[in-house]
Amino acid sequence: MSAVAMRGVEEPYPHGVLDHRLVSVDASAVFTRGNGPAGAHSDHPRPESTHPLLSLADRSH
């Protein structure tokens, strides 16, 4: 398993960071408790939330 800090959409994820069967994305720097959405599970759409998934999809072809 790989743990990686969530990145902004302008900062690419290195291939080695996402090249694991399980990846845990720490979103605490983007989502903070008591000040906006709390956790990556938030219903508030943010580009940072889809960035790791889109990065994986881009590498799949």
Side-chain angles (χ1 to χ4, degrees):
M1 184 163 129
S2 172
V4 61
M6 182 175 273
R7 298 166 184 249
V9 294
E10 68 285 343
E11 185 180 357
Y13 284 92
H15 182 66
V17 168
L18 298 177
D19 190 23
H20 297 275
R21 189 170 184 173
L22 295 172
V23 175
S24 174
V25 178
D26 177 4
S28 60
V30 176
F31 299 95
T32 57
R33 294 192 184 283
N35 185 16
H41 61 277
S42 173
D43 292 334
H44 296 83
R46 300 223 14 190
E48 294 91 342
S49 298
T50 58
H51 185 38
L53 295 174
L54 292 174
S55 297
L56 284 170
D58 188 48
R59 288 177 170 79
S60 70
H61 54 93

